[in-house]
Amino acid sequence: MPDWSYLPLFRPALFRLPPERARDLTLGAIGWLASRSIGPWIIELAGHMRSADALKRRAWCLTFASPVGIGAGLDPQAMASHALARFGVGFVEVGPVTLAPVAATAPIVRDVAHQALRYPDLPVNDGVRALTAQLARITPLPVPLGVRLAHRPAADPESAAREQSAMMRDLAPYTSFFTLDCAGGCDAGWTAGEWALYLRLIAQAARTIAPAQAVLLCLRPDVHVARVDHLLDTAIPLGISGLVIGGGVRDSRHTRLIGRPAARASLELVRQIHARWGERITIIGSGGVHEPGDALALLAAGASLVQLCSGLIYAGPGLPKRINEALLAREKANQPERQPVRRWGWRPWLAILLLGYGMIFGGGLAWLIAATRVVLPYDEAFVQLSRRELAALNPRLLPFMAHDRITLAGTMISIGVLYAQLALHALRYGVHWAQRAVRASASVGFASFFLFLGFGYFDPLHAFVSLLLLPLFLLGMRQPASATPIIPQPDLANDVTWRSALWGQLLFVGLGIGLVLAGSAIAVIGVTSVFVPEDLAFLQTTRAELHAINPRLVALVAHDRAGFGGALVSNGLAVLLTALWGIRRGACWVWWTLCLAGLPGFIGALGVHLTVGYTDLWHVSPALAALGVYLLGLALLYPYLAGNRAARSCDHLRDGVCPVPDHR
């Protein structure tokens, strides 16, 4: 459920449900998906959210792949922690949990106007036994797992410490760190002596658990900073490892507001604690992080890590990825400006560039032939009929074949544009997602050559071109591609251009999927029935009559059909993966790639139907619908990808400067 599907489609539907129902439905769905064998692959395919190595952080003897984590409250019972761990985050925290279940006294209320959730001021959960059983069922996470430990309301310091110590022993085999929810003690007004007793008992218990676990304190953003100083004066000498700012702010209804209303208080508290304690305490900031700019502000104020909770509900599951990429862009901005490296000689990405140009040239040549003589001498030799004789058999036969071949030619040119652009603007810098896109698309394209053999027709020209281009593909895939994505400019805000771009991205993802499905259907038809009813109506004949005239006529048409289907699948994969992984603020080259790649395909497909008079509305309606999706998608993406603010980024790309650190 990436942002391009969550915000436009799923969030409006989920927001019609009660918050608990929407949460359980969403977490249950993604948790089920992640538990399937192909689930992690699907999550990776949809979002490509894995964080870059440059973002790794170290704290409490733990390595975090990213400074961005999932906070407690989003998935209290770890229903989907194994899915959330693959959202480009560095850690996941579940809970809050208590020794015995705590029932809700009021429902969660969604406050859309303030981008908040109203929670009852209680640690509502099913108890530690249910959480332990769930953690035992799931596989170990690829990131550190923390648990936020609460205690029953109104517990005295000794009882609270005893409850939380027991939970630490039960949960230690599954976790990497614990966070103590101090809200109950703060609200109960424990004295200095009671706080000291509580923290000493917790510290003693922490030293007995195995494996050793970091223990953090969680304080709410609206706690008074003087109380924080008092707590830390006692906690740090006892070995408390860090501080989490989270849990929302109290409102006039005696509930907790989780979300935007807590943002300012959280930021100010992080700033004050860091100014007072510096590096002596590690701070995890959270509260109202709904945009990448919010996370960067917390990190700039002194937080070492940040947590997300309500941000994934209001901004979407792609928020961790957007924060990671904003951090990469910030690190690039803080580095001294480097001159572009001019390397002479052969580079593997040039092979993909030549492959793209070869596809463009081959498609143009095929278009020229199809628009003039249509069939080549080896086609005539195969059916043992000349061009004139073919035209005499059925005046519509050659126009029909021209319509197939020009459509194929336009698709070839489209693929060539995609490959050339990916090579110039991404593969040149070793960007991983671009190599994966070209590999998937070209592998299908070259494999589709064998579809030509479905009716026993061997196309020597196509075989020659394939053998000529295949080495370029293999050479291009030799280049290691592990570099971070190109970040033209940080995507800091959930502004109107970003929201519009999500609709545009959704349309292009749909277009790519549509091309793959259409190409698959055409390929299957090409190697089975060959014709659809509209084809035979245009030809004013039947398949049996064509076969009776010349048994090889159907095979000749079939090889065009099968080849076009395979090329359309290849084209659809390139469009789909570019739309999935390449849409970033200021990436104007992506907009021009999608724009230029679509033109030859649509001009060829629709233009040839008009030219030859094959204007059956049912037959051309898929192409017309795809054209509408293409034009609307470009319009929605333009302000985000290629608006005025992106001009400078495009200039850098044209000058050959890599906008991100080179990790090759």
Side-chain angles (χ1 to χ4, degrees):
M1 197 186 297
D3 289 351
W4 51 263
S5 62
Y6 175 75
L7 269 296
L9 301 179
F10 292 107
R11 198 184 86 165
L14 290 170
F15 274 26
R16 292 180 177 272
L17 301 175
E20 294 97 331
R21 175 62 178 156
R23 179 191 65 189
D24 293 345
L25 181 64
T26 303
L27 294 177
I30 64 174
W32 176 86
L33 175 63
S35 66
R36 305 300 96 182
S37 58
I38 64 169
W41 177 84
I42 293 175
I43 294 172
E44 170 70 9
L45 172 68
H48 210 271
M49 294 184 286
R50 189 176 303 174
S51 59
D53 290 342
L55 296 177
K56 285 184 178 179
R57 301 290 189 270
R58 290 279 297 174
W60 321 305
C61 300
L62 297 173
T63 299
F64 300 94
S66 162
V68 183
I70 302 296
L74 183 71
D75 185 16
Q77 294 301 130
M79 293 174 61
S81 56
H82 45 316
L84 296 171
R86 291 175 169 83
F87 281 19
V89 300
F91 62 97
V92 172
E93 187 186 16
V94 299
V97 61
T98 53
L99 194 63
V102 174
T105 57
I108 301 172
V109 177
R110 191 184 295 114
D111 187 347
V112 178
H114 295 94
Q115 295 190 39
L117 296 166
R118 295 181 185 274
Y119 278 79
D121 200 4
L122 290 170
V124 177
N125 71 101
D126 294 335
V128 72
R129 183 174 296 178
L131 179 59
T132 305
Q134 173 65 9
L135 294 178
R137 281 194 295 268
I138 64 177
T139 57
L141 303 189
V143 298
L145 173 68
V147 178
R148 185 167 300 180
L149 305 175
H151 55 76
R152 60 185 170 83
D156 60 80
E158 188 172 353
S159 298
R162 188 164 54 247
E163 290 179 19
Q164 291 174 318
S165 298
M167 289 189 289
M168 289 166 63
R169 288 190 291 270
D170 291 342
L171 293 166
Y174 312 105
T175 61
S176 301
F177 65 92
F178 294 106
T179 305
L180 305 176
D181 190 336
C182 299
C186 289
D187 294 342
W190 290 350
T191 65
E194 289 173 327
W195 273 112
L197 172 63
Y198 167 76
L199 291 171
R200 279 199 301 271
L201 293 174
I202 290 291
Q204 290 171 7
R207 287 192 290 269
T208 65
I209 63 175
Q213 307 275 325
V215 180
L216 290 66
L217 295 181
C218 177
L219 296 177
R220 291 175 173 176
D222 51 0
V223 68
H224 197 280
V225 70
R227 184 180 289 272
V228 177
D229 287 340
H230 161 66
L231 279 174
L232 294 182
D233 281 331
T234 306
I236 290 177
L238 291 173
I240 296 299
S241 303
L243 194 62
V244 177
I245 309 300
V249 294
R250 186 186 292 274
D251 71 349
S252 58
R253 306 180 190 181
H254 302 290
T255 57
R256 305 298 300 187
L257 275 175
I258 308 293
R260 268 301 192 198
R264 181 174 297 179
S266 297
L267 181 62
E268 186 59 31
L269 186 58
V270 168
R271 184 178 290 116
Q272 291 177 350
I273 294 172
H274 182 69
R276 170 73 172 81
W277 294 92
E279 302 302 322
R280 285 181 289 173
I281 190 75
T282 300
I283 305 171
I284 300 180
S286 70
V289 181
H290 289 192
E291 299 178 340
D294 301 327
L296 268 61
L298 284 170
L299 293 170
S304 300
L305 306 168
V306 294
Q307 281 185 338
L308 307 178
C309 182
S310 57
L312 269 72
I313 297 170
Y314 282 99
L319 184 57
K321 176 182 177 179
R322 295 171 62 210
I323 296 173
N324 287 336
E325 294 187 350
L327 287 170
L328 286 174
R330 186 187 67 173
E331 290 187 6
K332 169 62 180 175
N334 292 335
Q335 292 177 357
E337 193 67 27
R338 296 183 301 172
Q339 293 297 319
V341 178
R342 305 294 185 187
R343 293 191 177 103
W344 299 98
W346 177 259
R347 295 282 177 254
W349 68 269
L350 289 170
I352 303 301
L353 181 65
L354 292 176
L355 173 62
Y357 288 158
M359 293 290 293
I360 293 171
F361 176 78
L365 183 61
W367 194 317
L368 178 63
I369 294 171
T372 52
R373 60 173 292 118
V374 184
V375 291
L376 291 169
Y378 61 80
D379 294 320
E380 297 172 327
F382 175 72
V383 295
Q384 299 177 350
L385 293 170
S386 68
R387 182 176 181 277
R388 289 174 179 265
E389 291 171 325
L390 286 170
L393 288 175
N394 186 325
R396 296 192 173 194
L397 181 59
L398 289 180
F400 179 78
M401 293 181 64
H403 123 275
D404 271 351
R405 294 189 172 192
I406 288 178
T407 308
L408 170 60
T411 304
M412 291 174 60
I413 296 173
S414 176
I415 296 171
V417 170
L418 287 162
Y419 291 177
Q421 285 286 95
L422 289 170
L424 277 172
H425 299 296
L427 289 176
R428 180 158 55 141
Y429 307 113
V431 174
H432 178 56
W433 73 261
Q435 187 183 70
R436 293 183 66 185
V438 173
R439 180 187 292 125
S441 171
S443 297
V444 169
F446 283 109
S448 69
F449 168 76
F450 295 100
L451 294 175
F452 285 93
L453 307 179
F455 276 80
Y457 180 58
F458 180 79
D459 187 329
L461 179 60
H462 189 88
F464 173 75
V465 172
S466 297
L467 290 175
L468 190 65
L469 297 179
L470 180 60
L472 295 175
F473 168 62
L474 297 176
L475 283 172
M477 292 299 101
R478 291 180 57 200
Q479 177 177 344
S482 58
T484 55
I486 293 175
I487 316 296
Q489 56 183 269
D491 188 13
L492 301 179
N494 302 341
D495 55 16
V496 65
T497 60
W498 172 73
R499 293 192 296 271
S500 296
L502 293 178
W503 282 100
Q505 187 176 12
L506 173 64
L507 290 175
F508 268 98
V509 168
L511 179 61
I513 294 173
L515 292 175
V516 170
L517 294 177
S520 301
I522 292 169
V524 170
I525 291 171
V527 296
T528 54
S529 61
V530 184
F531 301 101
V532 295
E534 295 77 24
D535 298 331
L536 297 172
F538 173 76
L539 289 169
Q540 298 177 350
T541 187
T542 65
R543 187 177 186 275
E545 289 176 354
L546 288 173
H547 188 269
I549 293 171
N550 187 318
R552 294 190 174 187
L553 267 181
V554 174
L556 180 63
V557 174
H559 109 282
D560 289 336
R561 288 270 149 120
F564 170 54
L568 199 59
V569 172
S570 176
N571 191 25
L573 283 173
V575 171
L576 171 62
L577 298 180
T578 300
L580 282 174
W581 301 335
I583 305 295
R584 288 176 177 81
R585 189 184 295 271
C588 57
W589 72 268
V590 174
W591 189 88
W592 282 108
T593 298
L594 295 173
C595 176
L596 296 175
L599 291 177
F602 286 112
I603 291 173
L606 294 173
V608 73
H609 280 84
L610 291 173
T611 302
V612 304
Y614 190 174
T615 55
D616 181 271
L617 184 59
W618 177 255
H619 182 73
V620 299
S621 58
L624 290 172
L627 177 62
V629 169
Y630 163 78
L631 294 175
L632 182 57
L634 288 177
L636 291 169
L637 284 172
Y638 184 83
Y640 185 75
L641 294 179
N644 292 332
R645 295 176 60 189
R648 187 175 178 183
S649 300
C650 290
D651 291 340
H652 284 314
L653 284 170
R654 282 195 295 268
D655 292 338
V657 179
C658 182
V660 293
D662 192 346
H663 299 291
R664 285 171 285 177

